[in-house]
Structure formats: C-alpha cells, structure tokens
Amino acid sequence: MNITDIPLEITTTKSSKINQVDFENLSFGMHNSDHMMYCDYADGKWQTPKIVPYGPMEFEPSAKVFHYGQAVFEGMKAFKDDEGRVWLFRPDQNFERINTSSKRLAIPEFPKDIFFTSLKKLLEIDQNWIKKGEGNSLYIRPFVIATENGVSASESSQYRFMIITCPSQAYYNKPIKVIFAQEFSRAADGGVGYAKAAGNYAAQFYPTQLAKAKGLDQIIWTDASSHEYLEEAGTMNIFFRIGDKLLTAPTNDRILDGVTRKSIIQLAKDHNIDITVDKVSVKEIVNAAKNGELKEIFGTGTAATVVRIEGFEHDGVYHELPNLESSYGSFFKTTLQDIQYNRAEDKHGWTMQAF
Ligand SMILES: *Cc1c(COP(=O)(O)O)cnc(C)c1O
C-alpha cells in the first residue's frame, strides 16, 4: 500500500502551548508537544489512526492495562539539521522492536505503514517543537496499552497504540555511580527482559531506591541465576573498557537489544576499535579495576546516548574509575551525534528523513 493511501484523521489544536515552554531549561519528559497520535485495535483489526491535540484520555478503571500490565513502549528521537530538515535515527529498528515486545505480551503487532505515515505527519505538525542545535531533539514515545474492560485475567481484545512526543535538550549528563546486582534480578531466562515492557521498569524501582539510599544512581543487572555476569543497566546497555579492549554482553532473552548499543558496536568496527561481544564476568571487571586496567564503563541508550560511569560498588567495596581525557565513550557520543544531525556521512543508511 502506498503511504498516501493510509487514512489519517487530523484535528489540530486551536491554542498551541509552545510559548509556555522554556526551551533553554527543559527538564526531560516534563513537556509534551501540542499533538499526539492514537490508533485503536477493535474487532480484530487496527482502526483509522488519529492525530489530535495532546490531552487526557478516558479509560474505565477495569481496563486490563491497570490490572495485568499489558503495556509496551519505545523511545526514539527526531533531530533537526542546520537546514531545518528533520531526521530519525534507525526508526525501522524501533518499529520492529515494538512488535517484538508486543508479540511477547500477546499484543497484536502494529502495521508498518500506519506507524511511519502517522509518525511523519505528527512530526511535521509539531515541527516547531524540534529545535536545531547540538543535543536538542524531540523525544518520541510510541506505546501500546490493553484497553478492554473487565478484570478477568486474560489478554485484552482491545488496545490503544499511541505516540506522544516531548522536546529534549542538550543536557550535561553527569557521570553516574552504579552497583552490581547481587540480590535482586531484573529479568530471567524465558521471561520478558528483551521486551520493552512497562513492567520491567516497575520491577526495578524498588531495588533502585535501595541503591539510591546508599548514594548510588543505578544498578547494573547481572544474570539471575549466578549474579556472576554483567548484563545491562535497565535503561541502558553497558560497555567496559579494559586496556584498549571494549567489551559488552551479547543479547539474550534477558537483555534489551538497544539501538544505541548495536550502532556503537558497528562504529567500533568501523574505527578499528577492538570490540568483543561476549559474557562479561564480575570477577574480570573487579580484577581489572583492582590492577588499574579498567579504563572506563559507559551506558548507552537513546535518551542520553552515552553516560559515563564514574565508579561501581560490588561486595560492599566501591571502585572508582579514571576520568579519561579522550574516552571511547565521548568518541562514540560525538560520532553518533554527527550522524544523527546529518553532519557526517551515513554510510550504513541509518538515518531517515521525516520531511
Ligand atoms: C530502551 C532500553 C535500552 C536502550 O535501548 P536504545 O534502543 O539504545 O535506546 C537499554 N535497556 C533497556 C532495558 C531499555 O528499556
């Protein structure tokens, strides 16, 4: 089907909120742009998608999402280049991943043509919310929830797919302190760790509160059965540098297959950086920290791109990492952003022009 054949009902706002937003001082996720998209699943099929002014929606208290947590989401960004063109970074990956997540949670998959037609239209309508300049972007949050009423414990027959967006600023992301998980687990074999399921986040908040009470920011999750292998940070994938060798864990059914992660693995190969994708043992990292070979640890994800980890706690001991002048982390961040803002050659065909 041709993209222009997709019916799309559009109602634009009569009063834009854009002048109420201080784009110089944004706190992430606190402002939504003027419009949102939604599309209902009923009678066994996805109905006509709608773009409407952003605002509250009504659901019955018995809607299944509130009881059984059938909800998945995505996170992606739109970037504006100096000429005012708007670019998406590997959006095909996010589209495929939301359907991978949906499938695991028994949610019907969403059609590709509706996704891209309505997303591009939404961005065009709210294009003034996308600011030029380093680090500025529009964060895009597609998600699906189960909307059928009735508290019987079964999968829903009705769903709502939505896309909301919020302006996001170049913020100085400060380095974080982490703890390697030894008690709690984020995901188990055969579970939903590889899905961007809302419930994976709910389950992390309590252990993260405990970590915060100890002055740490986040948890690096380990494999649930032995806690001997480092997996991911729960909102970010994770890379370790020992000497000049970069290490990251392979994806499995406990780990989210991050777009930033796979892009950095490719960039490492492009730039002849020695990268190994293999199980990373806690023992190896602790030993490297002790003998001074552990140069950096960084997390990767769409929201912050790359975040430096300044130290980690394990077995009650805090290990501090050096703060390198020229780190792999900052190299990858710059290299990736140059592609995202259409300033560098996109030799892997990662970017897609929205309009
Ligand atoms: C979204 C997410 C990431 C990062 O994925 P990106 O595609 O790079 O944004 C990593 N881990 C988890 C658990 C996530 O939900």
Side-chain angles (χ1 to χ4, degrees):
M1 192 185 270
N2 195 304
I3 268 188
T4 49
D5 296 340
I6 304 292
L8 182 58
E9 286 178 26
I10 301 174
T11 312
T12 52
T13 182
K14 291 184 179 58
S15 56
S16 172
K17 297 181 306 275
I18 199 162
N19 292 328
Q20 299 164 23
V21 177
D22 177 4
F23 281 86
E24 304 296 308
N25 292 293
L26 291 170
S27 57
F28 181 74
M30 296 311 286
H31 297 282
N32 290 288
S33 55
D34 285 327
H35 298 88
M36 62 183 179
M37 170 276 197
Y38 74 92
C39 182
D40 286 328
Y41 184 87
D43 304 325
K45 64 180 204 303
W46 292 100
Q47 308 291 317
T48 303
K50 297 183 170 74
I51 290 177
V52 297
Y54 179 88
M57 290 184 151
E58 260 190 7
F59 300 100
E60 288 200 23
S62 70
K64 287 189 193 286
V65 65
F66 300 131
H67 306 275
Y68 306 116
Q70 245 188 317
V72 298
F73 69 96
E74 266 306 320
M76 50 206 288
K77 277 178 172 174
F79 304 90
K80 195 174 259 181
D81 70 17
D82 292 338
E83 279 75 52
R85 289 171 298 196
V86 171
W87 301 87
L88 292 162
F89 184 71
R90 307 188 77 174
D92 53 311
Q93 300 287 320
N94 300 93
F95 170 74
E96 281 168 23
R97 196 170 63 188
I98 200 166
N99 281 340
T100 302
S101 301
S102 287
K103 192 171 176 187
R104 180 62 182 82
L105 276 91
I107 297 171
E109 293 182 27
F110 197 68
K112 189 168 189 172
D113 46 10
I114 304 184
F115 180 82
F116 281 101
T117 306
S118 54
L119 173 58
K120 287 176 180 176
K121 196 70 198 174
L122 182 65
L123 294 176
E124 198 183 327
I125 291 172
D126 280 338
Q127 58 181 283
N128 293 338
W129 291 80
I130 316 172
K131 299 297 179 192
K132 290 181 189 171
E134 184 68 30
N136 293 332
S137 63
L138 190 73
Y139 183 79
I140 302 164
R141 168 55 58 86
F143 62 112
V144 199
I145 57 169
T147 50
E148 185 186 343
N149 298 321
V151 295
S152 62
S154 61
E155 79 278 17
S156 180
S157 65
Q158 292 168 18
Y159 297 89
R160 181 162 287 183
F161 184 101
M162 294 185 248
I163 306 178
I164 59 173
T165 67
C166 48
S168 158
Q169 197 181 13
Y171 57 97
Y172 168 70
N173 52 57
K174 73 174 189 55
I176 61 169
K177 299 179 171 73
V178 298
I179 181 166
F180 293 173
Q182 290 184 280
E183 182 185 356
F184 294 94
S185 300
R186 172 187 173 272
D189 293 340
V192 299
Y194 69 95
K196 235 174 155 67
N200 286 340
Y201 279 68
Q204 292 186 91
F205 293 148
Y206 173 64
T208 305
Q209 272 182 340
L210 299 180
K212 285 183 175 163
K214 297 171 83 177
L216 303 159
D217 302 293
Q218 283 191 33
I219 300 170
I220 306 290
W221 298 104
T222 50
D223 70 292
S225 47
S226 73
H227 296 300
E228 281 175 18
Y229 295 94
L230 295 155
E231 303 213 308
E232 66 156 310
T235 61
M236 297 186 292
N237 296 108
I238 196 102
F239 289 76
F240 304 85
R241 174 181 173 183
I242 298 180
D244 283 335
K245 249 176 111 74
L246 207 51
L247 284 170
T248 193
T251 52
N252 56 36
D253 59 5
R254 301 180 301 271
I255 298 182
L256 199 285
D257 185 8
V259 180
T260 320
R261 171 188 177 277
K262 68 176 83 171
S263 304
I264 285 178
I265 293 172
Q266 182 61 52
L267 289 175
K269 290 176 182 164
D270 292 352
H271 293 271
N272 295 317
I273 291 172
D274 188 348
I275 169 123
T276 304
V277 179
D278 200 0
K279 287 165 99 176
V280 183
S281 76
V282 171
K283 207 183 277 169
E284 176 182 13
I285 297 305
V286 170
N287 284 340
K290 282 183 184 157
N291 67 27
E293 282 174 29
L294 185 66
K295 300 295 180 204
E296 41 180 318
I297 308 179
F298 57 88
T300 67
T302 297
T305 319
V306 174
V307 177
R308 184 170 85 83
I309 289 167
E310 63 181 2
F312 68 89
E313 186 184 308
H314 179 69
D315 269 343
V317 180
Y318 183 75
H319 303 265
E320 198 161 303
L321 290 166
N323 185 6
L324 304 183
E325 281 261 336
S326 63
S327 65
Y328 283 169
S330 56
F331 169 75
F332 287 125
K333 182 167 188 167
T334 310
T335 309
L336 211 51
Q337 286 184 336
D338 283 344
I339 299 170
Q340 290 171 330
Y341 288 92
N342 188 37
R343 291 188 299 245
E345 189 198 356
D346 171 27
K347 64 177 178 181
H348 299 290
W350 283 342
T351 58
M352 175 194 279
Q353 192 174 352
F355 58 89

